[in-house]
């Protein structure tokens, strides 16, 4: 009788099992190696990109710093030129004429005057000093006059008063500026100071009448 017999299963030997495990291990090792290589490449690429970014940021920061320095230099040069223009505008002769309009008879005038104490150390620097007999006028000049400058000049006036440099003489304060706001002007007048301001190529003194009684230190 012809009877179909089922095919016998392939016999797996211990060597076959070892060979299979070895191949699996080799495959995993190759896969892991490839994975690690890819990770290393990606890490290297990120590091290179980070270095390139840092380099770019450093170059941009340096460029901004250089641009800022150049801007500061230009503004400084402009400020110096404006300062020169202001000093040229408020020359002692022009300031003397404005005080003469109010009845002052200026006998002497000095620019960039240093006031010293008994020990000959500098007490204050005055842009313009005018003297009319027993009256001494100290003028502070700024490109843009502010309330803070008025406060500083008040302190300067008191320092000078505390010395014996002008003992027996009345000290009067005045502040000048190419730009003077209405608020600053009013504040200076409240402190009993004259105000000189630039109007075009000329200057004017405020107040322009003789009814104003300045503070005397």
């Amino acid at each position: 009788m012809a009877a179909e017999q089922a095919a016998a299963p392939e016999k797996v030997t211990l060597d076959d099992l070892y060979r299979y495990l070895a191949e699996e291990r080799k495959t995993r090792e190759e896969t892991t190696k490839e994975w690690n290589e890819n990770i290393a490449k990606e890490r290297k690429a990120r590091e290179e990109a980070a270095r390139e970014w840092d380099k770019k940021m450093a170059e941009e920061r340096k460029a901004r710093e250089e641009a800022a320095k150049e801007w500061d230099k230009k503004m400084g040069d402009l400020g110096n030129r404006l300062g020169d223009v202001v000093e040229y505008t408020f020359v002692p002769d022009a300031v003397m004429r404005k005080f003469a309009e109010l009845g002052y008879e200026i006998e002497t005038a000095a620019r960039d005057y240093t006031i010293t104490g008994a020990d000959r150390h500098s007490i204050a620097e005055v842009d313009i000093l005018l003297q009319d007999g027993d009256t001494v006028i100290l003028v502070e000049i700024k490109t843009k006059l502010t309330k803070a400058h008025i406060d500083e000049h008040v302190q300067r006036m008191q320092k000078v008063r505390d010395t014996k440099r002008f003992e027996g003489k009345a000290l009067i304060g005045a502040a000048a500026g190419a730009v003077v706001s209405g608020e600053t002007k009013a504040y200076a007048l409240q402190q009993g100071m004259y105000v000189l301001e630039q109007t075009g190529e000329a200057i004017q003194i405020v107040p322009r009448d003789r009814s104003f009684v300045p503070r005397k230190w």
Side-chain angles (χ1 to χ4, degrees):
M1 179 175 69
E4 295 182 0
Q5 295 182 350
E10 184 178 352
K11 185 177 180 180
V12 177
T13 67
L14 190 58
D15 289 338
D16 293 333
L17 181 59
Y18 286 152
R19 185 168 53 254
Y20 172 77
L21 292 176
E23 291 175 352
E24 282 292 316
R25 182 170 60 251
K26 182 180 180 181
T27 301
R28 286 196 302 271
E29 289 175 350
E30 291 176 348
T31 301
T32 300
K33 180 180 179 182
E34 183 179 358
W35 174 264
N36 290 335
E37 288 176 350
N38 290 336
I39 293 298
K41 290 178 180 179
E42 290 181 2
R43 182 168 58 247
K44 182 179 180 181
R46 288 195 300 270
E47 290 174 350
E48 291 178 350
R51 284 195 295 270
E52 186 64 26
W53 175 261
D54 291 342
K55 180 181 178 182
K56 183 179 179 181
M57 290 298 100
E59 291 174 350
E60 290 184 359
R61 181 169 58 252
K62 183 179 179 180
R64 288 195 301 269
E65 290 174 351
E66 290 177 350
K69 288 179 181 178
E70 183 64 23
W71 176 261
D72 290 342
K73 183 178 183 299
K74 290 181 178 179
M75 291 299 100
D77 293 342
L78 177 60
N80 291 335
R81 289 196 294 271
L82 288 175
D84 292 341
V85 171
V86 171
E87 289 188 3
Y88 177 79
T89 301
F90 294 99
V91 293
D93 286 347
V95 175
M96 285 173 60
R97 287 195 296 271
K98 290 304 169 182
F99 278 99
E101 293 175 2
L102 298 179
Y104 289 93
E105 298 179 0
I106 306 301
E107 301 169 354
T108 59
R111 187 165 198 163
D112 298 329
Y113 190 87
T114 300
I115 299 173
T116 58
D119 56 0
R120 296 189 178 182
H121 287 160
S122 176
I123 298 298
E125 299 287 337
V126 180
D127 292 326
I128 294 179
L129 183 144
L130 307 174
Q131 187 165 348
D132 172 11
D134 291 334
T135 300
V136 177
I137 305 172
L138 308 183
V139 184
E140 176 71 3
I141 303 173
K142 295 295 182 183
T143 301
K144 182 178 180 181
L145 189 64
T146 66
K147 293 170 67 175
H149 294 143
I150 301 301
D151 289 336
E152 290 173 1
H153 198 31
V154 169
Q155 295 175 7
R156 184 180 298 106
M157 296 295 297
Q158 190 57 54
K159 285 182 180 179
V160 175
R161 178 75 287 166
D162 291 340
T163 69
K164 295 183 179 181
R165 178 65 182 81
F166 298 107
E167 190 173 12
K169 299 183 184 299
L171 301 181
I172 293 176
V179 179
V180 186
S181 68
E183 182 181 5
T184 299
K185 190 186 305 180
Y187 184 69
L189 295 176
Q190 288 174 3
Q191 304 305 311
M193 290 188 182
Y194 288 106
V195 177
L196 295 121
E197 57 183 341
Q198 186 172 352
T199 55
E201 296 182 357
I203 62 175
Q204 69 176 13
I205 191 167
V206 180
R208 285 177 282 182
D209 57 72
R210 303 186 184 186
S211 61
F212 177 71
V213 179
R215 176 181 174 182
K216 294 182 179 180
W217 275 266

